[in-house]
Amino acid sequence: MMPAHVLIVDDDPALLQALPEAIQLRMGGLTVDTADSAAAALERIASQDYNAIVTDIKMPGTDGFALLAEIRALRPDTPTLMITGHGERALAVKALRRGACDFLQKPIDRDYFVASLSRAIQMNELSRQVKQQQLALERRACDLERTVEERTRELREANNVIQSPLRCLMAPSEQLARVVQQIKQVADSPHTILIEGEPGTGKELMARAIHQLSARRDQSFIVIDCGAKADTLIESEIFGDERNQGRFQLAEGGTLFLDEIVNLPLPTQSQLLRALENGQVQPPGSKTPVRVDVRAIAASSVPFELAVRAGRFHQEVYCRLNEFVITLPPLRERDDILHLANDFVAEASVEFGRPCHEIAAAAAQVLLGHSWPGNVRELRNVMRRATLLAAGVIERKHLSLLDGSRVSTLRSGPTALGPSLKEIVDATAADAERQAIRQALQACKGNKTEAGRRLRTDYKTLHFKIKQHGIDAARFKKLRAS
């Protein structure tokens, strides 16, 4: 508590000398100012917030009542004691009614005066504390209100992203930016769309995004896995029969997603071509064709042109469906692995109620070094498992199943059965990656930052790749020096 500050106002010089002496003698640490008129008092009050003010009522010029009114206007929380002459009880009552906290009769009883002034100072201190608490509460309420507004805005933005058909592509990736642009261009067009990409890259999610962004969004989105049923059953599954509607009829007005379409038997592919060209299907055993208004989106884990050359997919069907092709890059070629991993950790943390919000640097290196044959689906499953095992931070030990899994050298030796197709592809991709990095470093004279910019990847990923492939980046700097 700061030392109290008191102002005494009176036109009597003797009283202005006696009262401060009496106060300071009995109330140590008190600061006392004096004023010999109301005008002088108002000047002091304008620049100083006093703990209490003592003023005479009868003064030349502006009297005590006028001064009290000014005090109440300027400093409403400052207690004021009024000095009245002997027998002027009516004036004392008037002073109390106008807001004075007490009155003192002349001749002033110094004990009473000190006790009354002490009460006034205490009252002022309590008033100040209450006011400070109120201000603190108001500030806290404002802070809480701002926090609620910010959280509401964040939740609204997050909800918009969650509800966005393209939420699975909301990542800082140049490859995905091109895919998003393609989807936006084609979504509301009538074009039939082909989606290519390895298993787990999100082909069905892309198809759903296209459907949601199209004018057909309020109608059905029907999925059929073309490789999940026997050849004898797939035809009725798609086109229906005398008892049941097929997927074409169920997708009326909406979108039919034909997943792994290259697995369809060739005769069924021909029927599909007729249905798409004529806008009608004829269920097996039925004599009457059924008109359908369906947009077809087809997907394959094998590039369509390869499937055509291999004889697995009709050239005519490919040409009819090939109005617009979207190719999804495999996860190992993307530059947003850590971004996706953090998103999946956040998602799993909420779902499992686990306080896990960070991926350690060593764990991040494992994620960047894995080949991800299962692509985004595999990454999501890995991060969900790691979130369940971790306690706050995902460490390398929580990703133990991935350690060393990037190694994909070709098998050799007399007992080897020969490399698999996947091993050949992985080895070829690794060699191409190594050569691309070496060429970039050579062109940039060993400058990793410039090489990363040329390869459109971040410095951290490039540094890891250089280390992984055993490339001596310093050698390229020496070439520059020579």
Side-chain angles (χ1 to χ4, degrees), residues 299-358:
S300 172
S301 299
V302 178
F304 283 98
E305 290 185 355
L306 290 181
V308 171
R309 287 201 295 269
R312 293 180 58 190
F313 200 53
H314 269 313
Q315 177 74 41
E316 296 84 353
V317 179
Y318 173 63
C319 292
R320 171 62 182 81
L321 295 176
N322 187 20
E323 293 181 335
F324 201 95
V325 179
I326 296 175
T327 302
L328 296 179
L331 185 57
R332 63 180 173 275
E333 295 178 5
R334 289 167 53 169
D335 52 11
D336 61 338
I337 292 175
L338 295 183
H339 177 90
L340 285 173
N342 279 295
D343 278 356
F344 292 144
V345 169
E347 174 189 279
S349 295
V350 174
E351 181 180 349
F352 301 149
R354 303 283 294 177
C356 188
H357 305 288
E358 185 180 348

Side-chain angles (χ1 to χ4, degrees), residues 129-155:
Q129 291 178 2
V130 169
K131 194 168 186 178
Q132 289 174 354
Q133 291 173 357
Q134 287 176 337
L135 290 173
L137 287 172
E138 289 174 3
R139 285 195 296 270
R140 180 61 176 160
C142 289
D143 290 343
L144 288 173
E145 186 176 351
R146 282 194 296 271
T147 300
V148 169
E149 289 177 355
E150 290 172 2
R151 294 294 180 268
T152 301
R153 184 174 61 255
E154 290 171 0
L155 288 172

Side-chain angles (χ1 to χ4, degrees), residues 278-293:
N278 301 329
Q280 60 184 24
V281 295
Q282 188 161 350
S286 173
K287 297 179 181 180
T288 306
V290 178
R291 294 205 59 80
V292 288
D293 173 22

Side-chain angles (χ1 to χ4, degrees), residues 67-89:
L67 177 58
L68 177 62
E70 293 287 347
I71 294 171
R72 298 287 292 167
L74 292 172
R75 307 286 188 183
D77 296 328
T78 303
T80 304
L81 287 74
M82 307 292 287
I83 301 174
T84 65
H86 180 70
E88 295 177 337
R89 187 172 183 82

Side-chain angles (χ1 to χ4, degrees), residues 29 42 69 94 96 139 162 164 194 199 206 247 309 339 347 366 415 455 476:
L42 288 173
K94 182 180 178 181
L96 294 175
R139 285 195 296 270
I162 290 171
S164 168
L194 297 180
M206 297 307 100
R247 298 300 176 93
R309 287 201 295 269
H339 177 90
E347 174 189 279
V366 174
T415 60
L455 293 170
F476 298 94

Side-chain angles (χ1 to χ4, degrees), residues 226-280:
C226 298
K229 288 188 177 292
D231 293 356
T232 55
L233 299 176
I234 193 66
E235 183 179 344
S236 59
E237 181 79 12
I238 297 175
F239 304 110
D241 53 35
E242 294 178 336
R243 293 172 296 178
N244 301 306
Q245 287 186 326
R247 298 300 176 93
F248 251 106
Q249 293 99 310
L250 294 175
E252 172 64 27
T255 302
L256 178 65
F257 177 55
L258 297 147
D259 196 14
E260 299 299 343
I261 191 173
V262 297
N263 291 328
L264 277 180
L266 293 176
T268 307
Q269 292 180 26
S270 299
Q271 287 182 273
L272 175 64
L273 176 62
R274 287 193 296 273
L276 293 173
E277 288 181 338
N278 301 329
Q280 60 184 24

